[in-house]
Amino acid sequence: MADTLEFNEIYQEVKGSMNDGRLRLSRQGVIFKNSKTGKVDNIQAAELAEGIWRRVALGHGLKLLTKNGHVYKYDGFRESEFDKLSEFFKSHYRLELAEKDLCVKGWNWGTVKFGGQLLSFDIGEQPVFEIPLSNVSQCTTGKNEVTLEFHQNDDAEVSLMEVRFYVPPTQEDGVDPVEAFAQNVLSKADVIQATGDAICIFRELQCLTPRGRYDIRIYPTFLHLHGKTFDYKIPYTTVLRLFLLPHKDQRQMFFVISLDPPIKQGQTRYHFLILLFSKDEDISLTLNMNEDEVEKRFEGRLTKNMSGSLYEMVSRVMKALVNRKITVPGNFQGHSGAQCITCSYKASSGLLYPLERGFIYVHKPPVHIRFDEISFVNFARGTTTTRSFDFEIETKQGTQYTFSSIEREEYGKLFDFVNAKKLNIKNRGHKESMPQTYDEYADSDEDQHDAYLERMKEEGKIRENADDSSDESGEETDESFNPAEEDEDVAEEFDSEVSASSSSSDGGSDREEKRKPAKKAKIVKERKPRKKQSESKKGKDPNAPKRPMSAYMLWLNASREKIKSDHPGISITDLSKKAGELWKSMSKEKKEEWDRKAEDAKKDYEKAMKEYSEGGKSERSKKEKYKKKQHQQKGKVEKKVAPAKSPAKSPAKQLGESFKSKEFVSSDESSGDNKKEDSEEEEIASTPPSLEDSASGSD
């Protein structure tokens, strides 16, 4: 029989988490070395009291109990290793390795057994689960109920935080089964015990969170909150901050205690303890200590006998015991003169206090936001009425807080406060839909640098310059299209149609009314070449100079690889966000360097664009002449081919667009317009068809 046994990839269960490592069994005892931390647990052979082999989730497990009540659990064994372990325990430790499987019936009704540091819930002779009592942080009792709360394990992905046991009433006199159960737990649990007398007691204080009236007993190391239903013991080490805040009505005071970790009641977590006091309520307080002890411990911060307002006494005692400063509102004053702003957060109305280093909202739910964790703030238009606005805060972790229904008169004071604290102001509302009175909200981020907005402005300027140059080139290429001639053509064709359809009516008023739609026809005619122009813009010349990049894009291209190396595996979107943050935090001197580079690139682009547009003029002029010549030849062919059906209409069509038909001339004569021009048009219109060829030839 070997003197030692070694097992790799064995898991030790510690406070609900599984730590892998190596297990070694020798004559001297059991040694387990954690592969992650290197910690070594050594159990002497003489201390072993019992060994149990059972089936668990990770194969099979070994449970060892020591004589002083400690329990050690090791999982990850194979079923075939049972015989080897059993023989080793018999020969070296003189213990029988008992096989005891867990009950998997799924019942929730059984018997609780207390053995050493372990609470075992059994059904029959088989255990369902076991709880190490050293993991219990709180034990509270109800009518027929006992609740166990556990220490949070940061190493475990999922932690069990609470278990409730229903204890049925018994007929035995003088024995309360609920209290007996709680005493068995508290005797072994890691629970704060209220030993000794309290330093002082404050009776029936109004508490907003958790809601109710509680007696507060002040002990040297913890605070005991005792109510009709629940009890809370709060160690002073869990107190982060203390706040003393005046109510808006100037008659009450809030005393806020920030806790981490929070106190728990079921699934509810209370990160803040909020007490409400009336300013008129006074108290005389005597500490349960002699004067020498008070002087030695508190060094003059407290005296044995004190009197004053209740809120002053509570805050003074807490400040001395917790040894933390009390935060009060700073210099901020709202429109009504109060140091807070009435608003709504989520579904409840409350008060928002701008402090020197953050914001705090009371009371449901309480929120404390420090300035150093704020990414930006935003003034947004109210969703229901224009008499109020919303104040949004977004943290660097991406959490957003929206405080709504703030009175419009508070805007100036709050904006000045935020601006003085140098917080980023960024509006994301719909500026177009906001009324004129809210323009100041839309412009509230003018002084703040926004990398994305600056880049968009730069690209917009470049796009405008490019559009101007393309518009000039477009006008040059479209010289064959003359808008003035097109307008005349539209008007003449329309007027001739009018005269043909209404030859019986000679009234000038009718013609004027029917001439008005000519504007619509003009718009339709002008749109066609614009569509062609836009179509020509879509096809970009590959030889054209490329638009320059903005200062931000130049910096980003130069810094992209460095950001990737500093943050390996970063995604494209996260890289863009990180780049934006770096650009915002960059000093003005460094940004000016990239602005100069962007300006140089812009000048080079404009110079190249000018050379490109001048170099292309000669080619465009050749194309235009060629198109013009083709257009003239096409017109000649149409004139020769088209038959002359009526002497009144055909001459006008054959001689060109600037001539009017005889019918139009006869209708114009009745209106008394220029007779000389009409007579000339009559002579031209009466030209015989035999002269048309000679006229076209002269063209």
Side-chain angles (χ1 to χ4, degrees):
M1 183 68 188
D3 291 339
T4 59
L5 289 177
E6 289 193 7
F7 301 92
N8 295 322
E9 296 184 7
I10 300 299
Y11 297 88
Q12 182 188 31
E13 184 180 338
V14 178
K15 293 185 179 180
S17 61
M18 307 302 291
N19 301 324
D20 63 317
R22 299 178 61 186
L23 182 69
R24 181 180 179 184
L25 283 76
S26 65
R27 287 179 176 273
Q28 291 75 25
V30 179
I31 300 173
F32 178 82
K33 185 175 182 179
N34 191 322
S35 59
K36 184 179 180 181
T37 62
K39 183 181 177 182
V40 177
D41 290 332
N42 193 349
I43 309 171
Q44 296 296 326
E47 295 178 1
L48 291 173
E50 186 180 359
I52 298 173
W53 176 268
R54 57 187 179 182
R55 183 174 180 81
V56 292
L58 297 174
H60 288 74
L62 181 65
K63 174 185 170 185
L64 301 178
L65 286 80
T66 62
K67 293 176 181 178
N68 55 10
H70 291 291
V71 179
Y72 298 90
K73 297 178 183 178
Y74 304 100
D75 298 348
F77 295 96
R78 292 187 292 271
E79 188 177 3
S80 58
E81 293 171 337
F82 171 72
D83 295 335
K84 184 167 51 174
L85 282 169
S86 180
E87 290 180 9
F88 191 90
F89 269 73
K90 280 182 183 179
S91 58
H92 297 297
Y93 304 143
R94 297 179 181 178
L95 291 175
E96 287 284 342
L97 191 59
E99 289 187 81
K100 187 181 285 188
D101 291 332
L102 295 173
C103 180
V104 292
K105 291 182 178 180
W107 295 2
N108 63 345
W109 185 267
T111 306
V112 171
K113 295 180 180 178
F114 293 93
Q117 294 283 339
L118 208 63
L119 181 153
S120 177
F121 184 80
D122 299 346
I123 296 176
E125 295 298 325
Q126 290 181 303
V128 179
F129 61 85
E130 296 168 341
I131 299 175
L133 294 178
S134 58
N135 293 345
V136 176
S137 64
Q138 187 73 273
C139 178
T140 57
T141 60
K143 185 178 180 181
N144 292 314
E145 216 174 50
V146 179
T147 303
L148 304 185
E149 295 181 15
F150 305 104
H151 294 292
Q152 188 166 353
N153 185 11
D154 296 330
D155 297 330
E157 295 181 2
V158 180
S159 297
L160 177 65
M161 300 304 298
E162 183 180 284
V163 172
R164 294 186 182 185
F165 294 95
Y166 173 76
V167 183
T170 59
Q171 300 298 326
E172 298 179 11
D173 296 334
V175 179
D176 186 356
V178 174
E179 287 298 327
F181 189 106
Q183 288 303 320
N184 283 324
V185 172
L186 291 172
S187 62
K188 301 293 183 181
D190 183 17
V191 178
I192 299 172
Q193 297 293 328
T195 56
D197 296 330
I199 296 174
C200 60
I201 301 174
F202 298 99
R203 302 283 184 185
E204 293 290 319
L205 297 184
Q206 183 180 354
C207 195
L208 300 181
T209 53
R211 189 170 180 177
R213 287 197 172 269
Y214 290 84
D215 292 343
I216 295 183
R217 294 184 173 92
I218 305 295
Y219 288 89
T221 58
F222 67 93
L223 173 73
H224 184 197
L225 212 63
H226 177 70
K228 293 181 179 179
T229 310
F230 303 111
D231 275 8
Y232 303 98
K233 295 183 179 68
I234 305 171
Y236 295 140
T237 55
T238 64
V239 176
L240 287 181
R241 294 175 185 85
L242 302 173
F243 301 91
L244 188 61
L245 309 170
H247 197 281
K248 194 171 185 178
D249 60 9
Q250 301 298 327
R251 293 181 297 176
Q252 300 179 94
M253 296 290 291
F254 292 110
F255 185 63
V256 183
I257 303 173
S258 175
L259 303 173
D260 185 32
I263 55 177
K264 301 179 286 290
Q265 182 56 51
Q267 296 297 322
T268 308
R269 302 291 181 266
Y270 297 106
H271 291 270
F272 294 88
L273 178 65
I274 302 180
L275 303 172
L276 182 63
F277 300 96
S278 174
K279 283 188 174 182
D280 301 332
E281 195 172 356
D282 297 332
I283 188 175
S284 296
L285 187 65
T286 302
L287 300 184
N288 190 18
M289 302 171 69
N290 59 49
E291 292 183 359
D292 294 338
E293 290 177 350
V294 172
E295 180 64 29
K296 183 178 179 181
R297 172 152 190 178
F298 301 111
E299 299 176 352
R301 289 174 292 177
L302 296 179
T303 58
K304 181 175 176 61
N305 298 304
M306 297 180 291
S307 62
S309 299
L310 180 58
Y311 73 89
E312 289 181 353
M313 294 297 102
V314 173
S315 58
R316 189 175 172 184
V317 169
M318 287 298 299
K319 180 182 178 182
L321 287 166
V322 177
N323 199 21
R324 293 189 182 276
K325 293 180 180 179
I326 296 179
T327 304
V328 296
N331 299 324
F332 175 81
Q333 276 198 344
H335 175 71
S336 61
Q339 294 179 297
C340 57
I341 295 172
T342 303
C343 61
S344 296
Y345 177 61
K346 295 185 177 178
S348 301
S349 178
L351 299 172
L352 179 67
Y353 289 84
L355 308 174
E356 287 301 314
R357 296 185 181 179
F359 295 97
I360 186 169
Y361 173 83
V362 290
H363 81 288
K364 193 175 181 181
V367 177
H368 178 236
I369 309 167
R370 302 188 313 276
F371 287 157
D372 56 7
E373 62 180 343
I374 293 176
S375 175
F376 64 84
V377 300
N378 179 35
F379 294 90
R381 175 185 175 183
T383 55
T384 57
T385 176
T386 57
R387 295 182 180 179
S388 64
F389 67 93
D390 296 348
F391 183 57
E392 299 173 355
I393 300 175
E394 185 161 326
T395 63
K396 294 174 182 176
Q397 289 77 25
T399 308
Q400 184 170 332
Y401 302 91
T402 302
F403 303 98
S404 58
S405 302
I406 303 175
E407 294 180 1
R408 189 168 129 192
E409 289 79 12
E410 302 284 3
Y411 169 75
K413 300 281 188 181
L414 185 58
F415 178 81
D416 292 342
F417 175 82
V418 170
N419 212 21
K421 296 301 179 183
K422 298 181 181 180
L423 298 177
N424 281 336
I425 303 173
K426 181 179 180 182
N427 278 357
R428 296 176 297 171
H430 299 287
K431 298 178 182 177
E432 303 86 3
S433 62
M434 295 180 72
Q436 190 67 27
T437 55
Y438 277 82
D439 285 347
E440 55 185 357
Y441 297 164
D443 298 335
S444 63
D445 61 345
E446 281 184 351
D447 297 335
Q448 303 297 327
H449 178 77
D450 189 346
Y452 179 76
L453 181 62
E454 183 176 308
R455 186 179 63 181
M456 291 297 103
K457 286 180 179 178
E458 289 289 335
E459 292 181 359
K461 291 177 183 177
I462 297 168
R463 197 175 291 113
E464 286 176 6
N465 296 334
D467 291 343
D468 292 341
S469 60
S470 62
D471 289 342
E472 292 173 3
S473 62
E475 288 174 5
E476 293 170 358
T477 54
D478 293 332
E479 281 182 0
S480 59
F481 166 68
N482 192 340
E485 293 179 3
E486 183 70 11
D487 292 346
E488 291 176 5
D489 185 22
V490 171
E492 288 163 9
E493 288 179 1
F494 185 82
D495 290 340
S496 64
E497 289 172 5
V498 170
S499 62
S501 61
S502 58
S503 58
S504 60
S505 62
D506 296 334
S509 62
D510 293 338
R511 278 194 299 277
E512 287 175 3
E513 289 177 359
K514 293 186 178 181
R515 281 181 188 174
K516 289 179 182 177
K519 293 180 181 178
K520 294 183 180 178
K522 197 183 293 182
I523 293 170
V524 173
K525 290 283 183 180
E526 288 175 359
R527 280 180 183 169
K528 290 180 182 176
R530 284 184 184 174
K531 286 181 182 176
K532 292 178 183 176
Q533 189 176 347
S534 64
E535 288 173 2
S536 65
K537 283 184 184 179
K538 290 180 182 177
K540 292 184 180 179
D541 187 356
N543 299 322
K546 293 184 178 179
R547 292 176 182 171
M549 288 186 284
S550 64
Y552 171 74
M553 292 305 295
L554 288 171
W555 170 83
L556 179 59
N557 288 342
S559 308
R560 183 178 280 107
E561 294 302 325
K562 185 177 183 303
I563 296 173
K564 286 183 179 179
S565 61
D566 293 343
H567 304 82
I570 190 171
S571 64
I572 296 174
T573 54
D574 292 339
L575 189 143
S576 302
K577 290 179 182 178
K578 189 67 180 176
E581 293 174 3
L582 294 173
W583 178 259
K584 283 184 181 180
S585 61
M586 191 182 295
S587 62
K588 285 187 178 180
E589 292 77 11
K590 291 184 179 179
K591 286 184 182 177
E592 286 175 358
E593 178 186 348
W594 292 102
D595 289 337
R596 286 194 297 271
K597 291 182 180 180
E599 192 65 28
D600 295 341
K602 186 179 178 181
K603 289 178 182 178
D604 295 341
Y605 169 76
E606 291 174 351
K607 184 179 178 182
M609 196 69 192
K610 189 175 181 182
E611 293 175 356
Y612 169 75
S613 58
E614 289 176 355
K617 276 185 180 179
S618 57
E619 295 181 4
R620 287 196 293 271
S621 60
K622 289 179 183 179
K623 291 181 181 178
E624 288 158 13
K625 288 179 182 178
Y626 177 73
K627 288 180 181 178
K628 201 170 186 179
K629 191 173 180 181
Q630 279 188 335
H631 182 69
Q632 290 175 354
Q633 290 177 356
K634 189 177 180 183
K636 290 178 183 179
V637 172
E638 289 177 353
K639 288 174 186 176
K640 291 178 182 179
V641 173
K645 290 184 179 180
S646 62
K649 293 183 180 179
S650 60
K653 293 181 181 177
Q654 293 168 356
L655 290 174
E657 297 174 349
S658 62
F659 300 107
K660 298 182 179 179
S661 65
K662 188 174 181 181
E663 294 174 358
F664 182 77
V665 171
S666 62
S667 63
D668 271 352
E669 284 174 356
S670 61
S671 63
D673 290 348
N674 195 337
K675 293 180 180 179
K676 188 175 181 180
E677 292 178 2
D678 293 338
S679 63
E680 289 176 2
E681 288 177 358
E682 283 179 359
E683 290 176 5
I684 294 169
S686 61
T687 305
S690 61
L691 295 176
E692 291 175 0
D693 294 336
S694 62
S696 63
S698 64
D699 292 336

